[in-house]
Structures are given as structure tokens and as C-alpha cells.
Amino acid sequence: MITTPSQHAALIASALADVIRSGAKQHPDRGALERIAELLDTVVIAFVDAEPDAVSAPADAVLTLQDAEVLAARSPGAGLPLGFTAAVLAPVTGHAPELPAPAGAASPQLAEQDARLRARLALVEEWLLDTQHPDMVPAYASVSLTLRTKLAHIAAAVAVGSRA
């Protein structure tokens, strides 16, 4: 049973680190992915060390999450989408993670796919934040990351299509 928001945030960060680390094994940008996983491990430690009744996220956890996002943005070959850490702070802040902006796809097929994926992401992240079972966090975190990555691919395809 998850007992505190900090514990929940730590579980999400740990699950993301594990997913990223497992994907790094055969990835060409392995170094960046492993460094991002290490940063997420640091976030886990910050939340574990936090006061149990804290009403905000530890500053070092917030800064380390920002570092992970920056490293991912500077390593596009790593394949991590902008906002991949969005769910980590949600248990502590009480605010659902922000969904990626709609892609604004010109094609009806891409627009429909974008809408379906956004709806699934909202649902999965709601489950991730509502679960009280630690065993469910890794699966929800993995699906959240997968859906965010798919949405980023659609947005990139739309951007390329609009330049053509």
C-alpha cells in the first residue's frame, strides 16, 4: 500500500528509471539513457529522504527532474519525449500531469490517432496517480512513457508534413 505522496512519487521515478534503463541496453544512445536513469534514481533518493508529511516536492528532486528533461532534449537520439517525467511530481503537487499539446494533424487519420492516444494517456496517468498498489506503478509508468513517445512521434510527423 502506498502511504505518502512522496513514496508514490519515488515509485514513479523508480519505475521510469527501470523502463529507461532496460531500453538502454541495445540503444545507440545508451550513455544518455543510462545517465537519465541515474538522474531518476537520484530523484527517488530525494523523495525517500523527504519528510513524510512534506507538502511540496524536495527542491533537489525538482531540479534533478529538470536536468533529466534537459538531457533528454539535448539527446534527441535517446527518443524520450518532452515531459516524460511529468507524472513524477503529480502525487506531491496533487495536479494531474499536463498532456502534450494536440498535434493539430492535417490528416484525419493522424488526428484520430492523436486523439485516441491522448485519451489513453489521460486515463493511464489517472490510474497511475490513483493506484494504491505499488505493484501497479511500473506497468502504468511504462505505458505512460510509451504513449507520450507515440504522441511525440505524431507531433514530429505533423511538423515535418507542415514544412513540406
Side-chain angles (χ1 to χ4, degrees):
M1 187 84 160
I2 299 172
T3 59
T4 68
S6 290
Q7 180 188 25
H8 200 160
L11 286 168
I12 295 169
S14 178
L16 280 175
D18 290 346
V19 168
I20 291 168
R21 193 174 286 109
S22 71
K25 291 178 184 172
Q26 302 298 323
H27 198 281
D29 213 344
R30 179 180 179 179
L33 289 169
E34 288 177 346
R35 179 67 185 125
I36 291 166
E38 289 170 8
L39 289 169
L40 289 167
D41 289 338
T42 301
V43 171
V44 172
I45 293 167
F47 278 113
V48 168
D49 290 345
E51 294 294 323
D53 57 352
V55 294
S56 63
D60 51 343
V62 173
L63 293 174
T64 304
L65 285 170
Q66 290 171 350
D67 289 346
E69 288 279 349
V70 167
L71 181 55
R74 290 184 179 163
S75 307
L80 294 173
L82 179 65
F84 74 97
T85 65
V88 174
L89 294 177
V92 177
T93 64
H95 301 292
E98 190 171 316
L99 294 176
S107 106
Q109 294 83 6
L110 276 180
E112 181 182 330
Q113 185 179 10
D114 182 70
R116 277 194 326 269
L117 289 172
R118 290 171 49 74
R120 286 182 192 155
L121 178 61
L123 185 61
V124 166
E125 288 184 346
E126 181 181 324
W127 292 340
L128 176 62
L129 300 177
D130 288 345
T131 189
Q132 291 300 305
H133 302 284
D135 295 347
M136 296 304 298
V137 171
Y140 292 150
S142 178
V143 173
S144 169
L145 181 58
T146 298
L147 291 170
R148 284 182 175 273
T149 301
K150 287 180 179 184
L151 285 165
H153 288 306
I154 290 173
V158 169
V160 167
S162 68
R163 286 187 226 139

